[in-house]
Amino acid sequence: MRSKVVTREEALKVFKDGQTIMFGDWHGELSAEEIITGMLEIGVKDIDAIAVSGGMPDQGVGRLIKEHRVRSLKTTHIAFNPLARDQMFAGELDVEFVPQGTFAERIRCGGAGLGGCLTPTGVGTDVEKGKQKLTINGKEYLLELPLHADVAVIKAWKADTAGNIKFRLTARATNNYMAYAADTVIVEVEELVEVGEIGPDEVDVAAPIIDMVYVRTGEKKPLCPMWQRAKAKAEGGK
């Protein structure tokens, strides 16, 4: 069986300016940080990003926003990244806010090849502007269109050489469904095992969905910067 394991340099060849890229994380945590570091190093720019939030200035897609590499962002919120807020108000970053459940469903539709989904969420608010509204059995719904990307950059706990991957607990977050909604899927993992070491019932995303597996070379189970700061504050008593 062909191995999908690649070096970081091989993975980075996928990226080009102007791509639509999904970033699987959770507000900057649980993200493929070493791949993102590589994107910064090779100078990828004009990214149309799709991420559950704007990350933070020092983690996740927030690092790319900080360096003005992102031109648009579809997201549920940017509360943890003041730089994203400032760029939005300055007209430097085009932000589309999407309710979180709708965000997940639009990506699921993109992966399943559906034409969109109907939801009552957002009816009567700014969310409905410019969208088709349908009335079904006396109730109003918005037609939300699918989201699809050129590349999805996700993070998992472990993978086998064929590309079957497994997440740890809540780390699947948005990493799980984004894997199905992109032309090319790159997964950064902490551990690599041989085919058969991840049991059939343990596979969260099957090998045919994954294009490249990159095994991170740094700390295998890093504590995200937000929790590092919280830990330091607790230990310092401040």
Side-chain angles (χ1 to χ4, degrees), residues 223-238:
L223 190 63
C224 75
M226 181 176 73
W227 289 108
Q228 290 178 24
R229 291 190 290 269
K231 182 173 181 288
K233 182 176 180 181
E235 292 175 345
K238 298 181 181 180

Side-chain angles (χ1 to χ4, degrees), residues 22-78:
M22 288 182 179
F23 294 87
D25 61 20
W26 192 250
H27 312 305
E29 303 166 30
L30 315 174
S31 54
E33 292 294 338
E34 292 190 5
I35 295 294
I36 291 173
T37 296
M39 294 173 69
L40 287 165
E41 290 172 353
I42 65 174
V44 179
K45 63 183 186 299
D46 296 330
I47 297 167
D48 293 314
I50 300 172
V52 73
S53 80
M56 299 186 189
D58 58 355
Q59 60 190 74
V61 69
R63 298 169 61 201
L64 291 159
I65 292 172
K66 179 181 178 181
E67 299 299 324
H68 296 266
R69 305 294 180 82
V70 178
R71 65 183 176 188
S72 75
L73 174 67
K74 288 181 173 64
T75 188
T76 69
H77 76 89
I78 57 174

